[in-house]
Amino acid sequence: MKQFIGVGFIFLCIPLLWGVQHSIASELSKAHDAHDELQDSLELEDRQTNLPIIIKDRNGVTVSEQYAEWRNPLELSSVPPFIQHLFISSEDRGFYEHRGYDVSAIARAFAVNAASDDRKQGGSTITQQVVRMRYLTTEKTYERKFRELLYAAEIEKQTSKDDILEMYLNEMYFGHRVYGIGAAATYYFSRPLDQLNEAEMAFIAAIPNNPSLYDPVRHFDKTKKRQELLLNLLAQDGTITNEEFEAYKQYPIKLKLKKKAQGFDAYSSYVLAELEELVSQSEGYDEKIQSATSAEERETWEKNLQNRTSEIAQSGIVIDTALLRNKQLHDEKALDALLPANGLQAGAAVIDNETREIVSLYAGKGYRKADFNRAYQAYRQPGSAIKPLLVYGPYLESGPYTERTPIDSSNICIGSYCPTNIGGYRYGVTTLGEAFRYSHNTAAVRLLRIVGIDRAFESLKPFHFKMVTEEDKSYSAALGGFSKGVTPLEMASAYSSFIDGTFQPARAIRTVSSYDGEPLYKWDDKRETIWSASTTATMRLMMSEVVRNGTGKGIRSTTAYTGAKTGTTNHYKDIWVAGFNDRYTTAVWVGLDNPQPIRYASDQKIHLRAFNTLLEE
């Protein structure tokens, strides 16, 4: 009877054995295919991770951090031996002996998993964990495990143990979107790794085993318990003494969580936009875009530039800027308070006269990160604020003229174009200074005709107004009639040429460097002479008269010199003022995002009051 039962049992097991054999054959076949694929295709390359973008002010203080994951990669030589020993002792004692995988650990894992459907036992070496973090998924299947082993063996052939350990220490996940031991130190203790003591190092080393369970913010006691377990392992293998083990256990752990540097969003958002311009100029993309012979070619180069800029940004960079933090905060607070809560908006830029750097930007009332930044994205009709650049400057350059030169301000028609003055006023012959001070439209159009449209527009080229095109070449341009317009930043930058007759594009970025301090990019702008000494002197005089007794009356003179020019478009839809004192140059636009008449804002001199604020120290 027993013999009959035994034979029956054997027959019943045949299908099971066949299934096991089939599974093994299938897995071996997949592993063989994977190995062939590996030999043909595996090339170890640095993994592209999204490292933080750090933006600093002119004094080197971090004002903004842009990242989704907090990382701070370290070279192995910068990682204290204590932390290296700790991870090797707890994760892979045979790390420096095996060839990427540990056969005994795999056997133990297989034995445990054979008795469970969950496959919870890993048995992975540090090399295998690097493979999983960099090249594969964490899916618990035997197919993935075989592939993991092959990758681990191949990595061991292609790189050194120290390189593998460095990858491991920089890739581990520590919860709260923190990756790598260096980032964990700065996140949980707000100090670099080499400034932590042994107890603190062991504490953060406890996290990666299970970042949710050992989250020190939510489960401090559990993290502390595992820290003591890790310290005990070091005591057992002789890395530390029993006395040190007891001392480290008792050392108080006080978390000081990193606070992401946020704020100065108006300025920071522009810095990232300027970064693309800097990359474009430094690597020749601007020339390729300008010389494109078709829209498709231009679009391709623009896309390549965007991809290149993203690649650089994601590699981890530090951007040093000209930001004056206190002034930026002052300007935002003052203009927010000045603008009424009825949708009226403003955009402005402030430039340091000496360095020609952007020190402050006003993006609009209630601006938040990623909103429409009116300082550099709001293209608006400039009105009469364009006259110094397009009309009066070129006219003065064309002859021996001064503010006393007579000019006909009577009504004029050029074809069907018949401009009028504000309020419908009619004038006769007056001086250049008088026409400038009270912004006679008829005089400006007549001067543009004298200079010539092509010559006048040629004078705008050094200022790089992005949206000024050939279609803008008409007599209405003398009064700011452009198809798209200009931005406050463009206007402030152009007006800086009247400081001393020279021009250098206004920049926010001083230098861009890699995370480890290697210089990457820096503007190579050269200051060039735009206006003659006589033109500069006359323009400064006429702009100061606008402030004393012209359309800019109400502007305060807080330094030895203050000069400006105002601008208003049809029906008061856009109101401008641009100018400078001895310290700063600024341009401010006031209006609605969806243009509507705002005569009340002009009557209340909101633009002049904003201008006063922006020129304050």
Side-chain angles (χ1 to χ4, degrees), residues 51-56 63-68 260-281 302 305-323 358 361 367-371 373 376-377 466 489 506-513 521 523:
L51 299 179
I53 301 173
I54 308 298
I55 298 176
K56 296 184 176 182
V63 295
S64 177
E65 294 173 320
Q66 312 279 333
Y67 61 84
K260 185 175 182 179
Q262 299 184 84
F264 302 95
D265 290 333
Y267 196 93
S268 298
S269 67
Y270 172 73
V271 167
L272 297 179
E274 188 180 294
L275 174 64
E276 184 172 295
E277 292 184 24
L278 178 54
V279 172
S280 180
Q281 187 179 106
E302 288 175 344
L305 171 59
Q306 292 171 6
N307 292 338
R308 175 59 177 154
T309 306
S310 296
E311 176 188 344
I312 292 164
Q314 291 170 5
S315 69
I317 55 175
V318 178
I319 305 177
D320 287 288
T321 74
L323 172 67
I358 304 167
L361 292 169
Y367 177 83
R368 294 183 180 180
K369 185 176 181 180
D371 281 354
N373 191 321
Y376 76 96
Q377 292 178 318
K466 290 182 180 179
L489 177 56
R507 309 294 191 190
I509 296 175
R510 287 181 166 177
T511 61
V512 179
S513 57
Y521 300 101
W523 286 109

Side-chain angles (χ1 to χ4, degrees), residues 134-153:
R134 294 176 69 92
Y135 303 109
L136 301 177
T137 68
T138 56
E139 179 187 12
K140 289 182 170 65
T141 65
Y142 287 121
E143 177 188 351
R144 197 273 301 157
K145 196 69 177 179
F146 277 125
R147 186 177 291 269
E148 179 184 298
L149 294 175
L150 294 174
Y151 270 68

Side-chain angles (χ1 to χ4, degrees), residues 91 163 171 242 309 380 387 396 447 458 471 537 539:
E91 294 292 326
D163 286 343
E171 293 288 344
N242 289 330
T309 306
R380 296 293 185 265
K387 291 176 182 177
L396 290 169
L447 289 174
E458 194 68 23
E471 65 181 288
M539 290 300 304

Side-chain angles (χ1 to χ4, degrees), residues 224-253:
K224 185 69 173 69
K225 185 175 181 180
R226 179 162 174 78
Q227 174 230 31
E228 295 176 3
L229 174 65
L230 295 178
L231 289 171
N232 187 47
L233 288 176
L234 294 184
Q236 290 178 2
D237 66 17
T239 302
I240 60 175
T241 65
N242 289 330
E243 290 75 15
E244 287 173 326
F245 167 60
E246 293 298 330
Y248 297 158
K249 273 202 315 181
Q250 300 303 320
Y251 193 92
I253 300 296

Side-chain angles (χ1 to χ4, degrees), residues 83-239:
I83 202 77
Q84 298 182 40
H85 293 155
L86 194 154
F87 276 106
I88 291 173
S89 180
S90 62
E91 294 292 326
D92 188 0
R93 289 177 179 269
F95 173 67
Y96 282 103
E97 285 74 44
H98 62 61
R99 296 180 299 175
Y101 52 86
D102 187 332
V103 176
S104 61
I106 293 172
R108 287 194 303 273
F110 188 84
V112 172
N113 291 339
S116 170
D117 292 333
D118 293 337
R119 295 174 183 162
K120 295 178 180 178
Q121 182 69 30
S124 297
T125 63
I126 283 177
T127 309
Q128 288 173 259
Q129 292 181 57
V130 169
V131 166
R132 201 156 55 237
M133 290 186 287
R134 294 176 69 92
Y135 303 109
L136 301 177
T137 68
T138 56
E139 179 187 12
K140 289 182 170 65
T141 65
Y142 287 121
E143 177 188 351
R144 197 273 301 157
K145 196 69 177 179
F146 277 125
R147 186 177 291 269
E148 179 184 298
L149 294 175
L150 294 174
Y151 270 68
E154 194 68 22
I155 287 177
E156 293 272 351
K157 294 177 185 177
Q158 296 189 29
T159 191
S160 68
K161 288 285 188 179
D162 283 352
D163 286 343
I164 293 170
L165 183 58
E166 181 180 302
M167 293 180 207
Y168 176 71
L169 294 172
N170 284 322
E171 293 288 344
M172 286 184 297
Y173 183 54
F174 286 82
H176 298 275
R177 297 186 177 183
V178 177
Y179 290 84
I181 190 70
T186 56
Y187 181 80
Y188 288 107
F189 291 107
S190 295
R191 281 179 284 139
L193 181 62
D194 60 4
Q195 292 183 19
L196 303 189
N197 59 48
E198 287 79 0
E200 292 168 331
M201 291 183 194
F203 187 81
I204 58 174
I207 301 170
N209 183 265
N210 189 327
S212 296
L213 180 63
Y214 300 120
D215 177 356
V217 178
R218 298 173 56 212
H219 307 298
F220 184 92
D221 292 342
K222 291 179 180 179
T223 313
K224 185 69 173 69
K225 185 175 181 180
R226 179 162 174 78
Q227 174 230 31
E228 295 176 3
L229 174 65
L230 295 178
L231 289 171
N232 187 47
L233 288 176
L234 294 184
Q236 290 178 2
D237 66 17
T239 302

